[in-house]
Amino acid sequence: MDDCIFCKIVKREIKAEIKKETDNFIVIPDIKPSAKTHLLIITKNHVSDLKFAEDNLLVEAKNLALDLQNELSLDEFQFRVNWGKLLEVNHLHFHFMANFN
Ligand SMILES: [Zn+2]
């Protein structure tokens, strides 16, 4: 989608610190973090929301979250997907959060 900020980040038209990249996802820091560790796991293809996500994408996002947990040596983390008005960008993404205090 032309006016989608996440699509532009995926296409490198907007600069972002890409922490990790797989065939179907990129991982970037949230620009408005709610925790010391707050990453966004964003689909490379434009999927407008969870309703339209293929099951394999959800499994892959979960595995990516578990990889991040290992890489960052975290005992616990929150893995969140927003819906409705909480969805600030209408492009499927998961919040990976840890180190709350
Ligand atoms: Zn998009």
Side-chain angles (χ1 to χ4, degrees):
M1 292 243 315
D2 288 349
D3 58 346
C4 171
I5 186 166
F6 286 168
C7 283
K8 287 182 177 174
I9 289 173
V10 168
K11 286 188 271 179
R12 287 7 183 221
E13 290 171 11
I14 291 178
K15 214 169 174 187
E17 187 191 345
I18 296 176
K19 299 271 194 192
K20 196 175 178 71
E21 181 165 13
T22 65
D23 286 348
N24 290 313
F25 291 96
I26 58 166
V27 179
I28 64 170
D30 194 305
I31 55 166
K32 290 184 284 179
S34 307
K36 281 187 202 141
T37 302
H38 189 166
L39 301 170
L40 299 179
I41 299 172
I42 302 170
T43 56
K44 281 189 174 174
N45 288 324
H46 185 89
V47 177
S48 55
D49 66 43
L50 189 60
K51 189 164 50 178
F52 302 107
E54 307 263 351
D55 290 350
N56 67 309
L57 270 185
L58 304 182
V59 172
E60 212 180 306
K62 177 199 73 173
N63 289 332
L64 193 46
L66 294 172
D67 286 348
L68 288 168
Q69 180 193 21
N70 272 330
E71 288 162 19
L72 301 172
S73 303
L74 297 168
D75 290 331
E76 58 207 3
F77 67 88
Q78 193 176 81
F79 186 58
R80 214 172 72 190
V81 60
N82 290 331
W83 187 263
K85 286 181 184 160
L86 289 172
L87 200 58
E88 286 185 45
V89 178
N90 290 304
H91 177 135
L92 182 64
H93 59 285
F94 303 86
H95 293 259
F96 180 92
M97 297 153 82
N99 299 316
F100 289 89
N101 53 40

